[in-house]
Amino acid sequence: MSRAFGERLTIEPLTLADAGPGEVRVALAAVAVCHSDVSYADGEWGGELPAVWGHEAAGTIVEVGADVGFAVGQRVVVTLIRSCGECHRCQRGAEIACTASLDRASPLTDADGREVGQGLRTAAFAEQVVVDASQVVPFDDEIPMTSASLLACGVITGVGAVLNTAKVEPGSSVVVLGCGGVGLNVVQGAALAGASPIIAVDPQESKHDLAIHLGATHAVSPADLQALVTELTGGLLADYVFVATGAPTALASAPVLAGAMSAIVIVGMPPTGVTGQFDPGSLAGENQRILGSKMGTSVIARDIPALVTRYLDGELELDDLVSRTFPLEQINEAMDEVRKGTALRNVIVFDDA
Ligand SMILES: [Zn+2]
Ligand SMILES: [Zn+2]
């Protein structure tokens, strides 16, 4: 079955398989709409259709397959990070790049028994998912499901880029280009790391107040940026520049903001085919680094419980990151707002949430 991206079609009924060995079935309470869902649905990154997207979720385990160390009734964050824990990459702490057990048949089929894609290994724009047990992490009962869902992607991607990928030191100067759902979590991560100044940048001034609330020392539009970075760093320029947007203009502006001994950290995901230009002489002469950061280089069983503790201690904001909640029936509206960039995190909630 071949479909065009953007085409609206109805496939009923969809069947979800039982949890197999090593898998869990989770009844979802909340799933956030991430910009990656929009990019995939719009065909920016290729892929097969039809598929169900959604990958930033929280819910309750309702079935466990064989050889699974979780129990029915546990509340869990559901992520897209499926890992074996044993391969070369997992042993290096790079579960996000696990080379084993990644792909398997989708648990979703249509009425004729044909496979329907499990988008981002999760397919969480649905009442239930069947995922590998490595993709879920139990969490404390005191967290609202809507807030917990954000821990699956946006929060770990942003905070992890600072704490895991870049390992920002206290007192470092940080520029964050883009204050979307991920960029604001880069700001939170920079604050947790003790960075200063933390300069948040977004053309939408409506996002500046929240950036300050989350720990930015300054929030500005791109036009004001170069002079401010020069002034605040005494001419040294930034120690870290996080590119937390897929916008090519942000990527292009990063090198002129970065000082000697700095790192440019690429967090945002531009459409396939976008390229950037860097001056290798400057990189070598100024001892600069370019770091890619996928999902904050997160080890979810380690990082999500740590973030839960930070949230319960009042050090990490989750609740205020939720822009609006929607029933599943209004998912197209929820996705349109994310597409336009007017929403931080729209969250789909289910009846018994
Ligand atoms: Zn995501
Ligand atoms: Zn692995």
Side-chain angles (χ1 to χ4, degrees):
M1 190 174 341
S2 177
R3 300 282 179 177
F5 286 101
E7 181 185 357
R8 298 283 159 84
L9 72 159
T10 303
I11 305 173
E12 287 185 303
L14 273 185
T15 302
L16 181 64
D18 292 338
E23 294 179 332
V24 292
R25 178 195 286 254
V26 181
L28 297 186
V31 55
V33 179
C34 175
H35 200 277
S36 296
D37 296 309
V38 174
S39 294
Y40 269 112
D42 289 350
E44 287 181 10
W45 296 335
E48 295 290 320
L49 294 178
V52 176
W53 304 106
H55 62 278
E56 191 164 336
T60 304
I61 293 178
V62 292
E63 182 192 3
V64 292
D67 305 321
V68 170
F70 297 117
V72 168
Q74 276 186 297
R75 287 151 57 97
V76 290
V77 175
V78 181
T79 78
L80 64 82
I81 301 173
R82 184 184 290 173
S83 62
C84 73
E86 294 170 1
C87 72
H88 177 69
R89 298 243 179 85
C90 282
Q91 292 290 319
R92 299 182 74 210
E95 291 183 355
I96 44 96
C98 174
T99 52
S101 73
L102 292 184
D103 296 311
R104 62 183 67 156
S106 171
L108 293 166
T109 46
D110 68 11
D112 297 321
R114 286 177 295 205
E115 190 171 305
V116 173
Q118 186 185 32
L120 289 157
R121 302 183 189 131
T122 317
F125 291 151
E127 292 163 347
Q128 296 198 351
V129 296
V130 168
V131 295
D132 193 274
S134 67
Q135 294 176 243
V136 306
V137 180
F139 66 88
D140 195 290
D141 285 350
E142 291 171 50
I143 300 187
M145 285 287 199
T146 48
S147 300
S149 69
L150 308 188
L151 291 168
C153 177
V155 175
I156 59 173
T157 298
V159 175
V162 177
L163 301 183
N164 295 333
T165 307
K167 297 184 170 66
V168 169
E169 311 87 352
S172 303
S173 55
V174 169
V175 173
V176 184
L177 301 175
C179 294
V182 171
L184 286 172
N185 284 300
V186 173
V187 169
Q188 292 213 85
L192 290 173
S196 183
I198 301 168
I199 305 163
V201 189
D202 200 285
Q204 292 188 44
E205 292 186 7
S206 60
K207 293 179 175 170
H208 293 176
D209 284 349
L210 187 51
I212 296 289
H213 170 63
L214 295 175
T217 57
H218 303 75
V220 293
S221 298
D224 308 323
L225 183 56
Q226 181 77 51
L228 183 68
V229 172
T230 302
E231 178 196 330
L232 291 175
T233 60
L236 295 177
L237 301 178
D239 297 322
Y240 293 92
V241 180
F242 290 86
V243 185
T245 163
T249 49
L251 189 61
S253 72
V256 293
L257 302 166
M261 302 295 291
S262 67
I264 295 169
V265 189
I266 310 295
V267 186
M269 292 284 286
T272 301
V274 169
T275 58
Q277 282 198 328
F278 294 93
D279 173 0
S282 171
L283 288 180
E286 302 279 289
N287 216 103
Q288 295 167 322
R289 297 172 293 153
I290 300 174
L291 307 174
S293 186
K294 179 184 182 184
M295 302 288 300
T297 324
S298 296
V299 176
I300 56 173
R302 175 196 68 197
D303 295 345
I304 289 179
L307 291 169
V308 164
T309 300
R310 300 245 201 203
Y311 169 82
L312 294 173
D313 289 348
E315 294 174 5
L316 182 79
E317 180 64 69
L318 296 176
D319 306 349
D320 287 353
L321 299 178
V322 177
S323 308
R324 284 177 69 188
T325 58
F326 297 77
L328 186 60
E329 291 72 27
Q330 291 177 20
I331 186 167
N332 289 332
E333 187 185 333
M335 289 184 74
D336 276 341
E337 287 192 2
V338 176
R339 190 176 278 115
K340 285 187 218 136
T342 54
L344 286 178
R345 274 298 189 264
N346 282 343
V347 181
I348 310 295
V349 293
F350 297 91
D351 285 344
D352 50 356

